[in-house]
Amino acid sequence: MSPDAYAAAAADPAQAAAPRGRRAQAGPPLSIVVKGYPRLSETFIAQELKALEARGFQFDIWSLRKPYDGKTHPIHEKIRAQVNYLPEYLHEEAGRVIAAFIGAMFKRGFLNAFAVFLGDLMRDFSRNRVRRFGQACVMATERPKGLRFVYAHFLHTPSSVARYAAMIHGVRWGFSAHARDIWTTPSWEKTAKIDDAAFGVTCTRIGQAQLNALSSTGPKVELAYHGLDLSDIPRGPETREPRNGTVPGEHVQLISVGRAVEKKGYMDLLNALADLPKIMQWRFTHIGGGPEMEALKARAKDLGLSGKIKWLGKRDRPEVIEALRAADIFIMPSRIASDGDRDGLPNVILEAASQNLAIIATRLSAIPEFVEHDVTGVLVRPGHAAGMTEAIQQLARDPNRRANLGVAARARLEIKFGPKSGIEVIAKKLRAGLGAPAPASATEHPAAPAKPAAETEATAAKAAAPGPGGIRMAEALPPAAE
């Protein structure tokens, strides 16, 4: 679906959902519930949807919110599934919601779902809770026949809708948990959903441990890293200019990609940049939108940094990759937000690694599951501006070290964080939920050749060749075995 088509669907949800009362034919057996679709900040979901279609899964998408980014990634154009937009606010489509509630009352699982909803409402008496049940009723009545399983991305509101809708239909459901949903959803609600779901997966070890500790039926949530599909991403430059911040006009290029929200830690990063030596030659580029953008720009102005920072706003993946290729250091200053929200393993860290880019990040949540200090990047304490300043300064003046870290990060990405292992965990769970047999090996999605040792040796051989200025991308790679 093109961006114009998404916009049209958002303007008229009835055009996105199938015509009510006229769908006699069976739909796909699987429905996938997401908070918003398409979203620039959730390439990991688009990557998963594309991979599921490549493995023969047929599904439709149910989005709780309309698109608001104004553009999409190229990968969204490759996903063929029908997208259905639920009423974002019930009062805006009151007729649609009332008709759905009445229709849902005749479904076999309505009484069970309504009882669960009332129990949840007693513990969380909020408009949001009512909205999720209303959305579930719409999904349950507008969804064509043939549904066998419901799968939700994020354990908070999308899983509430998926759970209620699945109960109304009388089918099972499962979830994929990520970051905010793990850390800000009430424990009672997480336990209820984990126990009720047919399966749960999450994309970090720390998230898996957190969720399994809440399960009353024993460990149930499995690890499924998102990984990164490199097939549509150009390989990173093998050499970069040997900028070290000492030559006037030859600026070390710093970059970060992320939403302007508290948990990303950009206020901390601005304070760190302000403390860099005045004689150091640097420029910083930020990509992303978000509610704190104006506050960040104002803070940068107060610190006297405006002339050294480019705020590029929202960009699609090709534009992000192009910017990463032009940079020298990628920075992810994540921290724990005041409401407990925090990152998992930001996908953009993997994208930076794909471009052989040196990474500075905080020792928080699942980030150390990829960024190993002084091996595949540099880690500093969250919220520690002085530590971030020192890390930036050290990498800025050492192009060889940057090159070594960048190549090591790319090698780790290829060996441990390809998309195949994670998607196979999810595909296996979905097949079981659908009651479908595993496909024959001939129809499986082709896997990349499993030659990690040889790939590492080849990467190391390339790294040994000197580039411009005599800089080697790596003089030695760290051991790949883990």
Side-chain angles (χ1 to χ4, degrees):
M1 186 183 289
S2 69
D4 289 343
Y6 284 120
D12 185 0
Q15 296 300 317
R20 298 185 292 282
R22 300 200 303 272
R23 293 182 80 169
Q25 74 277 19
L30 173 65
S31 283
I32 298 179
V33 181
V34 295
K35 190 168 185 179
Y37 185 88
R39 277 188 167 180
L40 290 176
S41 61
E42 294 176 355
T43 52
F44 60 94
I45 293 180
Q47 177 178 280
E48 180 183 301
L49 297 179
K50 177 174 174 283
L52 289 175
E53 286 190 334
R55 283 162 174 75
F57 285 90
Q58 296 181 4
F59 55 86
D60 52 10
I61 300 168
W62 293 80
S63 177
L64 277 57
R65 300 179 68 177
K66 302 168 186 176
Y68 58 79
D69 285 323
K71 58 167 57 182
T72 63
H73 292 300
I75 192 173
H76 291 121
E77 301 298 323
K78 300 179 180 180
I79 296 168
R80 301 182 301 275
Q82 176 176 300
V83 184
N84 308 275
Y85 291 98
L86 295 168
E88 190 167 342
Y89 297 101
L90 303 187
H91 67 275
E92 293 179 349
E93 299 181 65
R96 184 184 179 195
V97 175
I98 293 170
F101 183 81
I102 294 172
M105 292 175 65
F106 294 93
K107 299 283 186 179
R108 58 180 176 175
F110 177 81
L111 292 179
N112 181 38
F114 192 64
V116 170
F117 160 67
L118 290 179
D120 292 343
L121 187 64
M122 292 295 291
R123 304 190 72 165
D124 173 32
F125 194 79
S126 65
R127 288 183 178 180
N128 181 65
R129 181 67 55 182
V130 174
R131 182 186 309 148
R132 301 315 165 198
F133 189 75
Q135 289 176 318
C137 289
V138 173
M139 178 178 170
T141 54
E142 294 183 2
R143 210 281 180 191
K145 295 180 180 179
L147 180 66
R148 300 209 302 269
F149 198 83
V150 181
Y151 171 54
H153 267 284
F154 292 101
L155 189 53
H156 52 350
T157 50
S159 281
S160 294
V161 174
R163 183 188 186 202
Y164 298 146
M167 286 181 173
I168 294 170
H169 271 283
V171 300
R172 298 301 307 276
W173 70 284
F175 66 84
S176 180
H178 302 291
R180 179 179 179 85
D181 51 328
I182 296 175
W183 304 108
T184 64
T185 304
S187 293
W188 67 265
E189 184 173 352
K190 287 183 285 191
T191 296
K193 288 175 176 175
I194 294 167
D195 291 349
D196 185 62
F199 72 82
V201 297
T202 189
C203 52
T204 64
R205 284 198 298 265
I206 190 171
Q208 180 189 26
Q210 173 77 5
L211 295 177
N212 277 332
L214 293 170
S215 173
S216 64
T217 57
K220 189 175 184 179
V221 179
E222 292 195 29
L223 176 65
Y225 282 122
H226 298 310
L228 186 66
D229 184 355
L230 297 171
S231 62
D232 294 329
I233 298 177
R235 192 174 186 91
E238 294 188 10
T239 60
R240 282 182 164 87
E241 292 299 321
R243 295 180 281 256
N244 62 11
T246 63
V247 179
E250 293 185 7
H251 304 107
V252 175
Q253 300 295 324
L254 314 175
I255 189 171
S256 188
V257 183
R259 296 186 67 233
V261 293
E262 184 185 359
K263 72 176 181 179
K264 292 298 183 181
Y266 286 123
M267 287 294 184
D268 299 330
L269 178 55
L270 290 177
N271 292 333
L273 294 174
D275 287 338
L276 289 171
K278 301 303 180 185
I279 62 172
M280 181 175 158
Q281 303 290 305
W282 62 271
R283 291 292 184 269
F284 173 65
T285 297
H286 174 266
I287 294 178
E292 290 190 357
M293 184 59 64
E294 294 308 313
L296 289 174
K297 291 179 180 179
R299 178 59 176 163
K301 183 178 180 180
D302 291 342
L303 292 171
L305 300 177
S306 297
K308 295 185 176 183
I309 298 178
K310 289 182 180 179
W311 306 97
L312 296 186
K314 299 174 181 178
R315 293 289 187 269
D316 61 26
R317 176 177 270 179
E319 293 171 313
V320 169
I321 296 299
E322 182 180 359
L324 293 173
R325 293 172 68 84
D328 297 306
I329 302 172
F330 176 82
I331 307 173
M332 180 51 67
S334 304
R335 63 175 301 150
I336 299 176
S338 54
D339 64 355
D341 190 15
R342 68 202 73 177
D343 275 327
L345 174 58
N347 203 58
V348 71
I349 288 181
L350 306 185
E351 292 177 339
S354 78
Q355 299 307 300
N356 299 322
L357 191 54
I359 298 166
I360 298 175
T362 49
R363 195 184 300 274
L364 178 71
S365 191
I367 292 174
E369 293 178 32
F370 181 83
V371 181
E372 183 180 354
H373 184 62
D374 272 343
V375 178
T376 56
V378 174
L379 292 173
V380 301
R381 193 167 76 244
H384 190 216
M388 182 69 72
T389 299
E390 181 63 20
I392 295 170
Q393 188 176 352
Q394 288 184 2
L395 277 190
R397 65 190 182 202
D398 193 343
N400 277 306
R401 185 182 176 209
R402 296 200 302 264
N404 293 342
L405 293 173
V407 168
R410 170 76 190 208
R412 180 169 177 78
L413 173 64
E414 292 179 339
I415 296 167
K416 300 289 289 185
F417 284 81
K420 187 176 187 298
S421 59
I423 194 62
E424 287 305 330
V425 170
I426 295 167
K428 181 179 179 180
K429 294 292 187 183
L430 289 176
R431 290 188 195 109
L434 291 165
S441 58
T443 61
E444 280 282 8
H445 186 71
K451 299 177 181 179
E455 288 174 358
T456 302
E457 292 171 2
T459 305
K462 285 185 177 181
I471 293 177
R472 291 180 171 83
M473 285 296 288
E475 295 177 2
L477 281 174
E482 293 185 9

